[in-house]
Coordinates of all heavy atoms in Angstrom, one line a residue:
M1 N -191.7 170.2 -48.2 CA -193.1 170.1 -48.5 C -193.8 169.2 -47.5 O -193.3 168.2 -47.1 CB -193.3 169.5 -49.9 CG -194.7 169.3 -50.4 SD -194.9 168.7 -52.0 CE -193.5 169.2 -52.9
L2 N -195.0 169.6 -47.1 CA -195.8 168.8 -46.1 C -196.2 167.5 -46.6 O -196.5 167.3 -47.8 CB -197.0 169.6 -45.7 CG -196.8 170.9 -44.9 CD1 -198.2 171.6 -44.7 CD2 -196.1 170.6 -43.6
A3 N -196.1 166.5 -45.8 CA -196.4 165.1 -46.2 C -198.0 164.9 -46.3 O -198.4 164.1 -47.0 CB -195.9 164.1 -45.1
L4 N -198.7 165.7 -45.6 CA -200.2 165.6 -45.6 C -200.6 164.2 -45.2 O -201.2 163.4 -46.0 CB -200.8 166.0 -46.9 CG -200.6 167.4 -47.4 CD1 -201.2 167.6 -48.7 CD2 -201.0 168.5 -46.4
R5 N -200.3 163.8 -44.0 CA -200.5 162.4 -43.5 C -202.1 162.2 -43.5 O -202.8 163.1 -43.3 CB -200.0 162.3 -42.1 CG -198.4 162.3 -42.2 CD -197.9 162.2 -40.8 NE -196.4 162.3 -40.8 CZ -195.6 162.5 -39.8 NH1 -196.2 162.6 -38.6 NH2 -194.4 162.6 -39.9
P6 N -202.5 160.9 -43.7 CA -203.9 160.6 -44.0 C -204.7 160.4 -42.8 O -205.9 160.1 -42.9 CB -203.8 159.4 -44.9 CG -202.6 158.7 -44.3 CD -201.6 159.8 -44.1
N7 N -204.2 160.5 -41.6 CA -205.0 160.1 -40.4 C -204.5 160.8 -39.1 O -203.4 161.3 -39.1 CB -205.0 158.6 -40.2 CG -203.6 158.1 -39.8 OD1 -202.6 158.3 -40.4 ND2 -203.6 157.4 -38.6
C8 N -205.4 160.8 -38.1 CA -205.1 161.3 -36.8 C -204.3 160.2 -36.1 O -204.6 159.1 -36.0 CB -206.4 161.6 -36.0 SG -206.2 162.0 -34.3
E9 N -203.2 160.6 -35.5 CA -202.3 159.7 -34.8 C -202.9 159.2 -33.5 O -202.5 158.2 -33.0 CB -201.0 160.4 -34.4 CG -200.0 160.7 -35.5 CD -198.7 161.2 -35.1 OE1 -198.3 161.1 -33.9 OE2 -198.0 161.9 -35.9
C10 N -203.9 159.9 -33.0 CA -204.6 159.6 -31.8 C -205.8 158.6 -32.0 O -205.8 157.6 -31.4 CB -205.0 160.9 -31.1 SG -205.5 160.7 -29.4
C11 N -206.7 159.0 -32.8 CA -208.0 158.2 -32.9 C -208.1 157.5 -34.3 O -209.0 156.8 -34.5 CB -209.2 159.1 -32.7 SG -209.5 160.3 -34.1
D12 N -207.1 157.7 -35.2 CA -207.1 157.1 -36.5 C -208.2 157.6 -37.4 O -208.4 157.0 -38.5 CB -207.1 155.6 -36.4 CG -206.5 154.9 -37.6 OD1 -205.6 155.5 -38.3 OD2 -206.9 153.8 -38.0
R13 N -208.8 158.7 -37.2 CA -209.8 159.3 -38.1 C -209.1 159.7 -39.4 O -208.0 160.1 -39.4 CB -210.4 160.6 -37.5 CG -211.3 161.3 -38.4 CD -211.7 162.7 -37.9 NE -212.8 162.5 -36.9 CZ -213.2 163.5 -36.2 NH1 -212.7 164.7 -36.3 NH2 -214.2 163.3 -35.4
D14 N -209.8 159.4 -40.5 CA -209.3 159.8 -41.8 C -209.2 161.3 -41.9 O -210.2 162.0 -41.6 CB -210.2 159.2 -42.9 CG -210.1 157.7 -43.1 OD1 -209.0 157.1 -42.7 OD2 -211.0 157.1 -43.6
L15 N -208.1 161.8 -42.5 CA -207.9 163.2 -42.7 C -207.4 163.4 -44.1 O -206.2 163.5 -44.4 CB -206.9 163.8 -41.7 CG -207.4 163.8 -40.2 CD1 -206.2 164.1 -39.3 CD2 -208.6 164.7 -40.0
P16 N -208.3 163.4 -45.1 CA -207.9 163.6 -46.5 C -207.2 164.9 -46.7 O -207.3 165.8 -45.9 CB -209.2 163.5 -47.3 CG -210.3 163.8 -46.3 CD -209.7 163.4 -45.0
P17 N -206.4 165.1 -47.8 CA -205.7 166.3 -48.0 C -206.5 167.6 -48.0 O -206.0 168.6 -47.7 CB -205.1 166.1 -49.4 CG -205.1 164.7 -49.7 CD -206.3 164.1 -48.9
S18 N -207.8 167.4 -48.3 CA -208.7 168.6 -48.3 C -209.3 168.9 -47.0 O -210.0 169.9 -46.8 CB -209.8 168.4 -49.4 OG -210.6 167.3 -49.0
S19 N -209.0 168.1 -46.0 CA -209.7 168.3 -44.7 C -209.2 169.6 -44.0 O -208.0 169.8 -43.9 CB -209.3 167.1 -43.7 OG -209.9 167.3 -42.5
R20 N -210.2 170.3 -43.4 CA -209.9 171.5 -42.6 C -209.9 171.1 -41.2 O -209.8 172.0 -40.3 CB -210.9 172.6 -43.0 CG -210.8 173.0 -44.4 CD -211.2 174.5 -44.6 NE -211.0 174.9 -45.9 CZ -210.0 175.5 -46.4 NH1 -208.9 175.7 -45.7 NH2 -210.0 175.9 -47.7
Q21 N -210.0 169.8 -40.9 CA -210.0 169.3 -39.5 C -208.7 168.8 -39.1 O -208.5 168.3 -37.9 CB -211.1 168.2 -39.3 CG -212.5 168.6 -39.7 CD -213.0 169.7 -38.8 OE1 -212.9 169.6 -37.6 NE2 -213.5 170.7 -39.4
A22 N -207.7 168.8 -39.9 CA -206.3 168.3 -39.6 C -205.5 169.4 -38.9 O -205.5 170.5 -39.4 CB -205.6 167.9 -40.9
M23 N -204.8 169.0 -37.9 CA -204.0 169.9 -37.1 C -202.6 169.3 -37.1 O -202.4 168.0 -37.0 CB -204.5 170.0 -35.7 CG -205.9 170.4 -35.5 SD -206.2 172.1 -36.0 CE -205.6 172.9 -34.5
I24 N -201.5 170.1 -37.2 CA -200.1 169.6 -37.2 C -199.3 170.4 -36.3 O -199.6 171.6 -36.0 CB -199.6 169.6 -38.6 CG1 -199.5 171.0 -39.2 CG2 -200.3 168.6 -39.5 CD1 -198.8 171.1 -40.5
C25 N -198.1 169.8 -35.9 CA -197.1 170.6 -35.2 C -195.9 170.8 -36.2 O -196.0 170.5 -37.4 CB -196.6 169.8 -34.0 SG -195.6 168.3 -34.5
T26 N -194.8 171.4 -35.8 CA -193.7 171.7 -36.7 C -193.0 170.4 -37.2 O -192.3 170.5 -38.2 CB -192.7 172.6 -36.0 OG1 -192.1 172.0 -34.9 CG2 -193.3 173.9 -35.7
F27 N -193.3 169.3 -36.6 CA -192.7 168.0 -37.1 C -193.7 167.3 -37.9 O -193.4 166.1 -38.3 CB -192.2 167.2 -35.9 CG -191.0 167.7 -35.2 CD1 -191.1 168.5 -34.0 CD2 -189.7 167.5 -35.7 CE1 -190.0 169.0 -33.4 CE2 -188.6 168.1 -35.1 CZ -188.8 168.8 -33.9
E28 N -194.8 167.8 -38.2 CA -195.9 167.3 -39.0 C -196.6 166.1 -38.4 O -197.3 165.4 -39.0 CB -195.4 166.9 -40.4 CG -194.9 168.0 -41.3 CD -194.6 167.5 -42.7 OE1 -195.5 167.0 -43.4 OE2 -193.4 167.7 -43.1
C29 N -196.5 166.0 -37.0 CA -197.4 165.1 -36.4 C -198.8 165.5 -36.6 O -199.1 166.8 -36.6 CB -197.1 165.1 -34.8 SG -195.4 164.7 -34.4
T30 N -199.7 164.6 -36.9 CA -201.0 165.0 -37.4 C -202.1 164.5 -36.5 O -202.1 163.3 -36.2 CB -201.2 164.5 -38.8 OG1 -200.1 165.0 -39.7 CG2 -202.5 164.9 -39.4
F31 N -203.1 165.3 -36.2 CA -204.2 165.0 -35.3 C -205.5 165.6 -35.8 O -205.4 166.7 -36.5 CB -203.9 165.5 -33.9 CG -202.7 164.9 -33.3 CD1 -201.5 165.6 -33.4 CD2 -202.7 163.7 -32.7 CE1 -200.3 165.0 -32.9 CE2 -201.5 163.1 -32.1 CZ -200.3 163.8 -32.2
C32 N -206.6 165.0 -35.5 CA -207.9 165.7 -35.9 C -208.1 166.8 -35.0 O -207.5 166.9 -33.9 CB -209.0 164.7 -35.9 SG -209.5 164.0 -34.3
E33 N -209.0 167.7 -35.4 CA -209.3 168.9 -34.5 C -209.9 168.5 -33.2 O -209.5 169.1 -32.1 CB -210.2 169.8 -35.2 CG -210.5 171.1 -34.5 CD -211.3 172.1 -35.3 OE1 -212.3 171.6 -36.1 OE2 -211.0 173.3 -35.3
D34 N -210.7 167.5 -33.2 CA -211.3 167.0 -31.9 C -210.2 166.5 -30.9 O -210.2 167.0 -29.7 CB -212.3 165.9 -32.1 CG -213.6 166.4 -32.8 OD1 -213.8 167.6 -32.8 OD2 -214.3 165.5 -33.4
C35 N -209.3 165.7 -31.3 CA -208.3 165.2 -30.4 C -207.4 166.3 -30.0 O -206.9 166.4 -28.9 CB -207.5 164.1 -31.1 SG -208.4 162.5 -31.2
A36 N -207.0 167.2 -31.0 CA -206.1 168.3 -30.7 C -206.6 169.2 -29.6 O -205.9 169.7 -28.8 CB -205.8 169.1 -32.0
T37 N -207.9 169.5 -29.7 CA -208.5 170.4 -28.7 C -209.0 169.7 -27.4 O -208.7 170.2 -26.3 CB -209.6 171.2 -29.3 OG1 -210.6 170.4 -29.8 CG2 -209.1 172.1 -30.4
E38 N -209.7 168.6 -27.6 CA -210.3 168.0 -26.4 C -209.4 167.1 -25.6 O -209.4 167.0 -24.4 CB -211.5 167.2 -26.8 CG -212.6 168.1 -27.4 CD -213.7 167.3 -28.0 OE1 -213.9 166.1 -27.7 OE2 -214.5 167.9 -28.8
R39 N -208.5 166.4 -26.3 CA -207.6 165.5 -25.6 C -206.2 166.0 -25.3 O -205.5 165.7 -24.4 CB -207.4 164.2 -26.4 CG -208.7 163.4 -26.4 CD -208.5 162.1 -27.3 NE -209.7 161.3 -27.2 CZ -209.8 160.1 -27.8 NH1 -208.8 159.6 -28.5 NH2 -210.9 159.4 -27.7
L40 N -205.7 166.8 -26.3 CA -204.3 167.2 -26.3 C -204.1 168.7 -25.9 O -203.0 169.1 -25.8 CB -203.6 167.0 -27.7 CG -203.8 165.5 -28.1 CD1 -203.2 165.4 -29.6 CD2 -203.0 164.6 -27.2
D41 N -205.2 169.4 -25.7 CA -205.1 170.8 -25.2 C -204.2 171.7 -26.2 O -203.5 172.5 -25.7 CB -204.6 170.9 -23.8 CG -204.9 172.2 -23.1 OD1 -205.9 172.9 -23.5 OD2 -204.1 172.6 -22.3
G42 N -204.3 171.3 -27.5 CA -203.5 172.2 -28.4 C -202.1 171.9 -28.5 O -201.4 172.7 -29.2
H43 N -201.6 170.9 -27.8 CA -200.1 170.6 -27.8 C -199.8 169.2 -28.3 O -200.5 168.2 -27.9 CB -199.5 170.8 -26.4 CG -199.6 172.3 -26.0 ND1 -200.7 172.8 -25.4 CD2 -198.7 173.3 -26.3 CE1 -200.5 174.1 -25.2 NE2 -199.3 174.4 -25.7
C44 N -198.8 169.0 -29.1 CA -198.4 167.7 -29.6 C -197.8 166.9 -28.5 O -196.9 167.3 -27.8 CB -197.3 167.9 -30.7 SG -196.7 166.4 -31.4
P45 N -198.3 165.6 -28.3 CA -197.8 164.8 -27.3 C -196.4 164.2 -27.6 O -195.8 163.7 -26.7 CB -198.8 163.6 -27.2 CG -199.4 163.6 -28.6 CD -199.4 165.0 -29.1
N46 N -196.0 164.4 -28.8 CA -194.6 163.9 -29.2 C -193.6 164.9 -28.9 O -192.5 164.6 -28.3 CB -194.6 163.6 -30.7 CG -195.6 162.5 -31.1 OD1 -195.7 161.5 -30.4 ND2 -196.3 162.7 -32.2
C47 N -193.8 166.2 -29.2 CA -192.7 167.2 -29.1 C -193.1 168.3 -28.1 O -192.3 169.1 -27.8 CB -192.3 167.7 -30.4 SG -193.6 168.8 -31.2
G48 N -194.4 168.4 -27.8 CA -194.9 169.5 -26.9 C -195.2 170.8 -27.7 O -195.6 171.7 -27.0
G49 N -195.0 170.7 -29.0 CA -195.2 171.9 -29.8 C -196.7 172.2 -30.0 O -197.6 171.4 -29.7
E50 N -197.0 173.4 -30.5 CA -198.3 173.9 -30.7 C -198.9 173.2 -31.9 O -198.2 172.9 -32.9 CB -198.3 175.4 -31.0 CG -199.6 176.0 -31.4 CD -199.5 177.5 -31.7 OE1 -198.3 178.0 -32.0 OE2 -200.5 178.2 -31.7
L51 N -200.2 172.8 -31.9 CA -200.9 172.2 -33.0 C -201.7 173.3 -33.7 O -202.5 174.1 -33.0 CB -201.8 171.1 -32.5 CG -201.1 169.9 -31.9 CD1 -202.1 168.9 -31.3 CD2 -200.3 169.2 -33.0
V52 N -201.5 173.4 -35.0 CA -202.2 174.5 -35.8 C -202.9 173.8 -37.0 O -202.5 172.7 -37.3 CB -201.2 175.6 -36.3 CG1 -200.6 176.3 -35.1 CG2 -200.1 175.0 -37.1
R53 N -203.9 174.5 -37.6 CA -204.5 173.9 -38.7 C -203.6 173.6 -39.8 O -202.8 174.5 -40.2 CB -205.7 174.8 -39.2 CG -206.6 174.1 -40.2 CD -207.8 174.9 -40.6 NE -207.4 176.0 -41.5 CZ -207.1 175.9 -42.8 NH1 -207.1 174.7 -43.4 NH2 -206.7 176.9 -43.5
R54 N -203.7 172.4 -40.4 CA -202.8 172.1 -41.6 C -203.4 172.8 -42.8 O -204.6 172.7 -43.1 CB -202.9 170.6 -41.8 CG -202.0 170.1 -42.9 CD -202.1 168.6 -43.1 NE -203.4 168.2 -43.6 CZ -203.8 166.9 -43.7 NH1 -203.1 165.9 -43.2 NH2 -205.0 166.6 -44.2
P55 N -202.5 173.4 -43.6 CA -203.0 174.0 -44.8 C -203.5 173.0 -45.8 O -203.0 171.8 -45.8 CB -201.8 174.8 -45.4 CG -200.6 174.2 -44.7 CD -201.1 173.6 -43.4
V56 N -204.4 173.4 -46.7 CA -204.9 172.5 -47.7 C -204.1 172.7 -49.0 O -204.0 173.8 -49.5 CB -206.4 172.8 -48.0 CG1 -207.0 172.0 -49.1 CG2 -207.2 172.5 -46.7
R57 N -203.6 171.6 -49.6 CA -202.9 171.7 -50.8 C -203.9 171.8 -52.0 O -204.9 171.1 -52.0 CB -202.0 170.5 -51.0 CG -201.1 170.6 -52.3 CD -200.1 169.5 -52.3 NE -199.2 169.6 -51.2 CZ -198.6 168.6 -50.6 NH1 -198.6 167.4 -51.0 NH2 -197.8 168.9 -49.5
P58 N -203.7 172.8 -52.9 CA -204.6 173.0 -54.0 C -204.8 171.7 -54.8 O -203.8 171.0 -55.0 CB -204.0 174.1 -54.8 CG -203.1 174.8 -53.9 CD -202.6 173.8 -52.9
E59 N -206.0 171.4 -55.2 CA -206.3 170.1 -55.9 C -205.4 169.9 -57.1 O -205.0 168.8 -57.4 CB -207.8 170.1 -56.3 CG -208.3 168.8 -56.8 CD -208.5 167.8 -55.7 OE1 -208.8 168.2 -54.5 OE2 -208.3 166.6 -56.0
L60 N -205.1 171.0 -57.8 CA -204.3 170.8 -59.1 C -202.9 170.4 -58.7 O -202.2 169.8 -59.5 CB -204.3 172.1 -59.8 CG -205.6 172.5 -60.5 CD1 -205.5 173.9 -61.1 CD2 -206.0 171.5 -61.5
K61 N -202.4 170.7 -57.5 CA -201.0 170.4 -57.1 C -201.0 169.0 -56.6 O -199.9 168.4 -56.5 CB -200.5 171.4 -56.1 CG -200.4 172.8 -56.6 CD -199.3 172.9 -57.7 CE -199.2 174.3 -58.2 NZ -198.2 174.4 -59.2
L62 N -202.1 168.4 -56.1 CA -202.0 167.0 -55.6 C -201.6 166.0 -56.6 O -201.0 165.0 -56.2 CB -203.4 166.7 -55.0 CG -203.7 167.2 -53.6 CD1 -205.1 167.0 -53.2 CD2 -202.7 166.7 -52.6
A63 N -201.9 166.2 -57.8 CA -201.5 165.2 -58.9 C -200.0 165.1 -59.0 O -199.4 164.1 -59.1 CB -202.1 165.6 -60.2
K64 N -199.4 166.3 -58.9 CA -197.9 166.3 -59.1 C -197.2 166.1 -57.7 O -196.1 165.5 -57.7 CB -197.4 167.7 -59.6 CG -196.0 167.7 -59.9 CD -195.6 169.0 -60.6 CE -194.1 169.0 -60.9 NZ -193.7 170.2 -61.6
F65 N -197.8 166.5 -56.6 CA -197.3 166.4 -55.3 C -198.3 165.7 -54.4 O -199.0 166.4 -53.6 CB -196.9 167.8 -54.7 CG -196.0 168.6 -55.6 CD1 -196.5 169.6 -56.4 CD2 -194.6 168.3 -55.7 CE1 -195.6 170.3 -57.2 CE2 -193.8 169.0 -56.5 CZ -194.3 170.0 -57.3
P66 N -198.5 164.4 -54.5 CA -199.5 163.7 -53.8 C -199.3 163.7 -52.3 O -198.2 163.8 -51.8 CB -199.5 162.3 -54.4 CG -198.1 162.1 -54.9 CD -197.7 163.5 -55.3
A67 N -200.4 163.5 -51.5 CA -200.3 163.4 -50.1 C -199.8 162.0 -49.7 O -199.8 161.1 -50.5 CB -201.7 163.6 -49.5
S68 N -199.3 161.9 -48.5 CA -198.7 160.6 -48.0 C -199.9 159.6 -47.8 O -201.0 160.0 -47.6 CB -198.1 160.9 -46.7 OG -197.7 159.6 -46.1
T69 N -199.6 158.4 -48.0 CA -200.5 157.3 -47.8 C -200.2 156.5 -46.5 O -200.9 155.6 -46.1 CB -200.7 156.4 -49.0 OG1 -199.4 155.8 -49.2 CG2 -201.2 157.1 -50.2
E70 N -199.0 156.9 -45.9 CA -198.5 156.2 -44.7 C -199.3 156.6 -43.5 O -199.3 157.8 -43.1 CB -197.1 156.4 -44.5 CG -196.5 155.7 -43.3 CD -195.0 156.0 -43.1 OE1 -194.4 156.5 -44.0 OE2 -194.6 155.7 -42.0
R71 N -200.0 155.7 -42.9 CA -200.8 156.0 -41.7 C -199.9 155.8 -40.5 O -199.1 154.9 -40.3 CB -202.0 155.0 -41.6 CG -203.0 155.2 -42.7 CD -204.2 154.3 -42.6 NE -205.1 154.8 -41.6 CZ -206.1 155.7 -41.9 NH1 -206.2 156.2 -43.1 NH2 -207.0 156.1 -41.0
V72 N -200.0 156.8 -39.5 CA -199.2 156.8 -38.3 C -200.2 156.7 -37.1 O -201.2 157.6 -37.1 CB -198.4 158.1 -38.2 CG1 -197.6 158.1 -36.9 CG2 -197.4 158.1 -39.3
L73 N -200.1 155.8 -36.3 CA -200.9 155.7 -35.1 C -200.0 155.4 -33.9 O -199.3 154.4 -33.9 CB -202.0 154.6 -35.3 CG -203.1 154.5 -34.2 CD1 -203.9 155.7 -34.2 CD2 -203.9 153.3 -34.6
K74 N -200.0 156.2 -32.9 CA -199.2 156.1 -31.8 C -200.0 155.9 -30.5 O -200.9 156.7 -30.3 CB -198.2 157.2 -31.6 CG -197.3 157.3 -32.8 CD -196.3 158.4 -32.6 CE -195.3 158.5 -33.8 NZ -194.4 159.6 -33.7
P75 N -199.7 155.0 -29.7 CA -200.5 154.7 -28.5 C -200.2 155.7 -27.3 O -199.7 155.3 -26.3 CB -200.2 153.3 -28.1 CG -198.8 153.1 -28.6 CD -198.7 154.0 -29.8
H76 N -200.5 157.0 -27.5 CA -200.2 157.9 -26.4 C -201.2 157.7 -25.3 O -202.4 157.4 -25.6 CB -200.4 159.4 -26.9 CG -199.6 159.7 -28.1 ND1 -198.2 159.9 -27.9 CD2 -199.8 159.9 -29.4 CE1 -197.7 160.2 -29.1 NE2 -198.7 160.3 -30.0
P77 N -200.8 157.7 -24.1 CA -201.7 157.5 -22.9 C -203.0 158.3 -23.0 O -204.1 157.8 -22.6 CB -200.9 157.8 -21.7 CG -199.4 157.6 -22.1 CD -199.4 158.0 -23.6
V78 N -202.9 159.5 -23.4 CA -204.0 160.4 -23.5 C -205.0 160.0 -24.5 O -206.2 160.4 -24.5 CB -203.6 161.9 -23.6 CG1 -203.0 162.2 -25.0 CG2 -204.7 162.9 -23.3
C79 N -204.6 159.2 -25.5 CA -205.4 158.8 -26.6 C -206.1 157.5 -26.3 O -207.0 157.1 -27.1 CB -204.6 158.7 -27.9 SG -203.9 160.2 -28.5
L80 N -205.7 156.8 -25.3 CA -206.3 155.5 -25.0 C -207.7 155.6 -24.3 O -208.1 156.5 -23.7 CB -205.4 154.6 -24.2 CG -204.0 154.4 -24.9 CD1 -203.1 153.6 -23.9 CD2 -204.2 153.6 -26.2

């Protein structure tokens, strides 16, 4: 199950579970759409994988399967 991380690893923008601006790789590294396209050219700086839009978990399922609250922020050179 996806963790649905709450922020962009690059700029720390909030990305709530309902956000259609969240992009992820196969390892669930999470970035906002702006960073993914403008800074990262669609590729994860951690693994080099493709960044795609994160699916939105249905609101009714969030109560039973909540999103992660752990914020991840990594100082990638391209993000500074």
Side-chain angles (χ1 to χ4, degrees):
M1 181 177 328
L2 293 175
L4 301 179
R5 295 179 183 165
N7 67 305
C8 174
E9 288 185 22
C10 193
C11 72
D12 203 29
R13 175 190 278 173
D14 288 338
L15 295 170
S18 62
S19 177
R20 297 208 178 267
Q21 302 299 312
M23 308 288 284
I24 61 172
C25 71
T26 60
F27 290 98
E28 295 187 58
C29 301
T30 304
F31 301 92
C32 68
E33 186 175 38
D34 290 342
C35 287
T37 58
E38 295 173 17
R39 294 179 175 183
L40 305 174
D41 196 30
H43 293 91
C44 177
N46 300 316
C47 71
E50 178 184 16
L51 293 170
V52 298
R53 190 177 73 77
R54 180 180 73 189
V56 174
R57 186 167 298 153
E59 193 69 34
L60 292 173
K61 296 294 183 182
L62 279 172
K64 186 173 181 180
F65 305 103
S68 173
T69 58
E70 181 182 344
R71 297 181 80 83
V72 176
L73 188 61
K74 296 184 179 177
H76 301 290
V78 71
C79 296
L80 302 175

